[in-house]
Amino acid sequence: MEQNVTQKNMWNTAGKAGLILGLASTAYLFMTQFIGQTEMPAFVNSILGFVLWAAKFIGCIWIMKFFMKKFVAENNGVTNANTFRLGNIMALLSALVYSAAAFANV
């Protein structure tokens, strides 16, 4: 279903992506806290931390790419500026979700 680019479409897509990105980062926060409390050797702890960080990094990039391509495919007349704005809104909403979870954690 193709439609024209509207603010509503952009914010709906960015809201879904921002929520998923924020939850992924929040899951990473809690996993690293849990790993830090375990009685593992420091080497294993650092290797596991790096693997989790790499998975989060690659996963978040993939999620951003997925939602941007989906937005372009579902809307007519999407420009680079629209896609850039979508990415900024996704990042903002993701940061809000993560900040709220980090605040609640404190």
Side-chain angles (χ1 to χ4, degrees):
M1 177 173 105
E2 293 204 6
Q3 51 195 354
N4 292 329
V5 178
T6 62
Q7 293 296 324
K8 182 180 175 185
N9 295 343
M10 190 175 294
W11 279 93
N12 282 339
T13 302
K16 293 172 195 170
L19 180 63
I20 293 170
L21 287 166
L23 291 176
S25 296
T26 302
Y28 171 76
L29 170 73
F30 289 121
M31 282 190 278
T32 55
Q33 281 183 352
F34 175 74
I35 290 170
Q37 294 174 352
T38 60
E39 298 292 327
M40 287 190 283
F43 177 73
V44 174
N45 198 356
S46 64
I47 293 294
L48 189 56
F50 176 76
V51 169
L52 285 174
W53 173 84
K56 180 192 79 143
F57 184 75
I58 292 168
C60 286
I61 290 173
W62 183 83
I63 291 169
M64 285 276 273
K65 180 181 173 183
F66 172 79
F67 278 101
M68 286 179 162
K69 284 188 171 191
K70 183 180 175 188
F71 182 72
V72 169
E74 291 178 349
N75 295 284
N76 289 331
V78 177
T79 63
N80 287 341
N82 296 128
T83 308
F84 182 75
R85 181 157 185 196
L86 176 71
N88 282 336
I89 296 170
M90 283 192 287
L92 171 72
L93 297 176
S94 170
L96 288 175
V97 170
Y98 179 79
S99 298
F103 180 70
N105 185 40
V106 170

